């Protein structure tokens, strides 16, 4: 059984910060690109950030560049998203995802990922 579990979401005010965590179990993802996506009510699920297998390469959506930082700790089989300067438009359910296909780098669309967490809610008030 493979499981990804997100945590760290909550209700914050504009300008505040949160750190989201994703804990993986059931298999190792040390060789897998990982990503964070988010989905707001009435919106499509969108890519937020991605990180390659060893953390040496990262990619961010334009909307979060300079504010969010993705990182990973392969020894803990975990990935993190530091969310700074949060704004109301960041309100969404945030999902952790893993891509397990060998030799593939960061992917930018949801269908390219193989495993997903249940999501954690981030709500930012004005």
């Amino acid at each position: 059984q493979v499981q990804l579990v997100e945590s760290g979401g909550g209700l914050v005010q504009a300008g505040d910060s949160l750190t989201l965590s994703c804990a993986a179990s059931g298999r190792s993802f040390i060789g897998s690109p990982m990503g964070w996506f988010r989905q707001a009510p009435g919106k499509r699920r969108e890519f937020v950030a991605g990180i390659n297998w060893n953390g040496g390469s990262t990619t961010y959506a334009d909307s979060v560049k300079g504010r969010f930082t993705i990182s990973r700790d392969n020894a803990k089989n975990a990935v993190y998203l530091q969310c700074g300067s949060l704004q109301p438009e960041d309100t969404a359910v945030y999902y952790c995802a893993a891509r397990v296909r060998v030799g593939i780098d960061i992917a930018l669309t949801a269908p390219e990922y193989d495993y997903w967490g249940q999501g954690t809610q981030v709500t930012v008030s004005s």
Side-chain angles (χ1 to χ4, degrees):
Q1 182 180 7
V2 177
Q3 190 172 36
L4 301 176
V5 179
E6 302 96 333
S7 62
L11 174 63
V12 298
Q13 293 184 317
D16 287 351
S17 299
L18 285 172
T19 297
L20 308 183
S21 298
C22 173
S25 61
R27 65 161 289 161
S28 174
F29 291 102
I30 60 174
S32 304
M34 304 288 291
W36 287 94
F37 289 75
R38 67 187 182 187
Q39 188 165 22
K43 303 292 186 180
R44 293 186 295 272
R45 186 170 297 189
E46 65 174 345
F47 174 82
V48 176
I51 189 166
N52 76 337
W53 72 278
N54 67 355
S57 180
T58 58
T59 301
Y60 298 92
D62 288 342
S63 59
V64 305
K65 285 181 180 177
R67 298 191 297 119
F68 289 14
T69 301
I70 187 171
S71 61
R72 68 190 300 163
D73 186 342
N74 283 337
K76 297 181 178 179
N77 210 22
V79 63
Y80 309 95
L81 186 68
Q82 300 175 66
C83 308
S85 299
L86 285 162
Q87 302 299 312
E89 55 264 37
D90 295 315
T91 295
V93 177
Y94 283 71
Y95 298 91
C96 174
R99 180 170 169 84
V100 301
R101 278 158 271 189
V102 175
I104 303 299
D105 208 345
I106 300 168
L108 305 180
T109 64
E112 295 177 279
Y113 287 82
D114 303 292
Y115 296 100
W116 294 83
Q118 83 291 344
T120 185
Q121 176 72 49
V122 173
T123 303
V124 185
S125 63
S126 301

